[in-house]
């Protein structure tokens, strides 16, 4: 029996306090989630520089595309080197991008200096503090969905705090100083997270009966990042149709959600009949409602997925997103807009949180960083470009927000229908190739040989059921 010491952070046992890793993800994604509040700067920028809406939103599109690219490259690096070095590089980019925002004077500086740099930073921070990290610390099938959901809460809920603070900053110190102080906050949060994040040590293992515990003294362990032969690689996942189904759903829902979210504050402030005609303070309340629900939807749908199954939960999330967007299109007062924003945010956050959970169940955790990074690049990266730019173009052409919301609702409804038709049924998610099936057979044979002296009359071990190959 091994007596390996548990990993510690500031004297804290990280095995007993593994909830610190979803919490780290919450703070890491809170940095990226500030992009959902960027709409509070749209009108001030357009007033000062005379930019059109499509031009202003180009920075958001560039940031999201850069985030998708960084998620993919960061996922590869996290799977290979672990989360800490990737997080450190991401922190530098994110801080630099936020500082650049305080000094912009041209669209190029806005899109590249802020959008590009900040997007790369938050993509690397996201890939190193959320999915690949938390899925490894939470192999429990009944807890993994909620744990991953909590780790990405910050991406949705950050704007609840950031939107009113940035609105206050606009009115008191101006938008340039607001961004400068934000850069300092990003740097401080990142430094703390770099000291915390790490994968489970190779000399510890998890079982359903005992949870995390030291591996047996004679168990083979390897230094560095732990991998499992029965998990799919990125190359194998790319040849699996469910990866492309998930990417398509991601693209639909992200395009629709960001098409509307990127203009929420501007819509609330614009005079009727095109907008609600409310003050900047009330517009910030609408953004806060959207963001609060966005963050809440992530652990909420993680909990729902453990009870309804992943496919049913995804159909529900996309359907509610479409309903919320239609409700926004029909809103004529702030009191109609707030419930619509809550429903839209809840469903959008839930939909985004279920994609990585489905990826983990389909393909395993060994290459999850790069697999989900690929999904994020295709779905959120491309969807984040299509959504804001299409929304800006629709508004510039029609001078009305209702068509923007209705087109977004159509994309979300398409995602709901596609998820029912394209995803595997509950209980049939786990995918295998001949290589991974052979690895499982070898694992079972080794376990059976080790337990043979006491296994003649024993019942089959239920804990191996979740590892059995499932037909693709």
């Amino acid at each position: 029996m091994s007596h390996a010491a548990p990993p510690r952070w500031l004297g804290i046992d990280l095995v007993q306090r593994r909830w610190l890793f979803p919490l780290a993800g919450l703070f890491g994604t809170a940095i990226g989630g500030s992009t959902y509040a960027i709409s509070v700067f749209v009108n001030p920028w357009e007033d000062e520089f005379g930019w059109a809406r499509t031009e202003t939103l180009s920075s958001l599109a560039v940031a999201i595309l850069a985030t998708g690219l960084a998620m993919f490259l960061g996922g590869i690096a996290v799977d290979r080197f672990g989360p800490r070095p990737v997080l450190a590089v991401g922190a530098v980019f994110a801080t630099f991008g936020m500082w650049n925002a305080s000094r912009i004077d041209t669209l190029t500086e806005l899109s590249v200096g802020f959008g590009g740099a900040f997007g790369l930073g938050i993509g690397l921070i996201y890939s190193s503090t959320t999915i690949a990290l938390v899925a490894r610390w939470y192999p429990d099938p009944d807890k993994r969905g909620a744990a991953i959901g909590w780790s990405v809460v910050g991406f949705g809920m950050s704007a609840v705090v950031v939107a009113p603070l940035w609105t206050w900053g606009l009115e008191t110190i101006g938008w340039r100083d607001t961004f400068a102080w934000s850069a300092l906050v990003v740097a401080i949060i990142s430094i703390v997270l770099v000291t915390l994040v790490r994968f489970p040590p190779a000399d510890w293992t998890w079982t359903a009966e005992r949870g995390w515990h030291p591996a047996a003294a004679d168990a083979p362990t390897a230094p560095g990042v732990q991998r499992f032969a029965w998990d799919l690689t990125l190359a194998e996942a790319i040849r699996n149709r469910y990866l492309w189904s998930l990417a398509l759903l991601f693209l639909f829902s992200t395009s629709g959600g960001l098409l509307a979210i990127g203009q929420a504050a501007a819509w609330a402030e614009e005079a009727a009949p095109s907008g609600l005609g409310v003050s900047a303070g009330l517009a910030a309340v609408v953004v806060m409602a959207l963001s609060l629900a966005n963050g809440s939807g992530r652990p909420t749908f993680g909990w729902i997925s453990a009870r309804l199954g992943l496919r049913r939960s995804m159909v529900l999330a996309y359907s509610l997103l479409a309903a919320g967007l239609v409700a926004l299109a029909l809103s004529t007062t702030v009191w109609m807009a707030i419930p619509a924003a809550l429903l839209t945010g809840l469903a959008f956050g839930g939909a985004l949180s279920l994609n990585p959970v489905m990826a983990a169940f389909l393909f395993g955790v060994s290459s999850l960083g790069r697999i989900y990074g690929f999904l994020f690049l295709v779905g959120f990266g491309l969807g984040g470009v299509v959504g804001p730019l299409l929304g800006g173009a629709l508004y510039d052409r029609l001078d009305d927000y209702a068509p923007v919301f209705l087109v977004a609702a159509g994309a979300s409804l398409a995602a709901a229908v596609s998820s029912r038709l394209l995803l595997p049924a509950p209980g049939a998610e786990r995918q295998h190739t001949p290589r991974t099936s052979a690895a499982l057979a070898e694992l079972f044979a080794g376990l059976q040989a080790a337990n043979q002296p006491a296994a003649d009359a024993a019942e089959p071990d239920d804990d191996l059921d979740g590892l059995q190959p499932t037909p693709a």
Side-chain angles (χ1 to χ4, degrees):
M1 177 111 179
S2 171
H3 296 285
R8 293 184 179 276
W9 176 69
L10 302 178
I12 300 171
D13 183 336
L14 291 176
V15 173
Q16 296 296 323
R17 302 290 185 269
R18 60 176 175 164
W19 53 264
L20 283 169
F21 296 105
L23 184 64
L26 187 155
F27 278 96
T29 54
I31 295 173
S34 62
T35 55
Y36 285 139
I38 206 71
S39 59
V40 304
F41 296 106
V42 167
N43 285 337
W45 280 337
E46 291 176 356
D47 291 342
E48 180 168 341
F49 298 110
W51 297 331
R53 182 60 49 83
T54 305
E55 293 174 324
T56 309
L57 291 179
S58 66
S59 64
L60 179 60
V62 171
I64 292 173
L65 182 61
T67 300
L69 178 62
M71 276 287 295
F72 178 55
L73 298 177
I76 294 174
V78 166
D79 286 340
R80 183 172 182 180
F81 303 113
R84 185 171 291 172
V86 180
L87 174 57
V89 175
V92 172
F93 273 107
T95 303
F96 182 65
M98 193 69 81
W99 173 255
N100 282 345
S102 71
R103 309 178 69 82
I104 63 166
D105 288 300
T106 68
L107 275 172
T108 300
E109 291 172 345
L110 174 67
S111 297
V112 179
F114 168 57
F118 190 63
L120 289 173
I122 63 179
L124 294 174
I125 291 171
Y126 193 115
S127 66
S128 56
T129 60
T130 59
I131 317 303
L133 175 68
V134 175
R136 282 173 166 86
W137 278 102
Y138 281 85
D140 339 26
D142 60 330
K143 295 180 180 178
R144 175 179 282 172
I148 290 177
W150 278 110
S151 76
V152 295
V153 158
F155 215 101
M157 199 172 286
S158 172
V160 175
V161 176
V162 173
L165 286 177
W166 276 355
T167 300
W168 174 83
L170 279 169
E171 296 172 349
T172 55
I173 61 176
W175 62 267
R176 292 186 185 275
D177 285 345
T178 299
F179 274 117
W181 281 104
S182 298
L184 178 62
V185 173
V186 168
I188 293 171
I189 293 174
S190 300
I191 290 170
V192 174
L193 294 180
V194 165
T195 67
L196 168 62
V197 298
R198 68 202 72 183
F199 283 157
D203 53 359
W204 281 69
T205 190
W206 182 92
T207 60
E209 299 93 345
R210 299 177 58 191
W212 282 104
H213 58 276
D218 56 350
T221 61
V225 178
Q226 201 169 10
R227 305 183 192 282
F228 304 101
W230 50 85
D231 289 342
L232 270 67
T233 65
L234 174 60
E236 291 169 333
I238 284 177
R239 294 192 292 270
N240 186 290
R241 64 189 175 96
Y242 290 128
L243 181 76
W244 296 100
S245 299
L246 268 184
L248 179 66
L249 297 175
F250 213 161
L251 179 63
F252 278 161
S253 61
T254 301
S255 298
L258 293 180
L259 189 148
I261 289 171
Q263 304 191 65
W267 163 68
E269 290 184 53
E270 184 151 333
S274 178
L276 300 179
V278 301
S279 66
L282 279 177
V285 171
V286 174
V287 175
M288 288 172 60
L290 191 64
S291 302
L292 178 64
N294 188 340
S296 302
R298 297 165 192 248
T300 298
F301 271 87
W303 179 85
I304 289 172
S305 68
R307 286 145 184 84
L308 291 184
L310 282 168
R311 187 174 70 179
R312 295 189 193 98
S313 299
M314 294 179 84
V315 172
L316 176 63
Y318 294 135
S319 300
L320 291 177
L321 179 57
L325 289 163
V326 170
L328 283 175
L330 298 176
S331 297
T332 55
T333 70
V334 71
W335 307 116
M336 295 174 65
I338 289 175
L342 288 170
L343 179 59
T344 300
L346 181 77
F348 186 62
L352 291 182
S353 72
L354 293 176
N355 283 297
V357 179
M358 177 65 87
F361 274 82
L362 286 169
F363 309 119
V365 300
S366 297
S367 298
L368 186 58
R370 64 191 72 188
I371 290 173
Y372 185 67
F374 176 82
L375 283 171
F376 199 95
L377 174 60
V378 174
F380 202 85
L382 295 182
V385 172
V386 172
L389 292 184
L390 178 58
L394 283 171
Y395 175 78
D396 285 341
R397 183 177 182 84
L398 303 174
D399 198 27
D400 189 3
Y401 288 97
V404 175
F405 295 135
L406 292 176
V407 169
S412 303
L413 185 60
V417 174
S418 299
S419 60
R420 178 62 182 84
L421 297 176
L422 300 178
L423 295 180
E429 292 93 355
R430 192 64 160 99
Q431 301 298 295
H432 284 284
T433 66
R435 180 192 65 79
T436 62
S437 295
L440 275 178
E442 182 179 349
L443 171 68
F444 296 149
L447 291 173
Q448 185 176 13
N451 295 325
Q452 191 61 43
D456 292 337
E459 291 291 327
D461 189 346
D462 290 337
D463 290 321
L464 300 183
D465 291 348
L467 297 175
Q468 293 291 347
T470 302

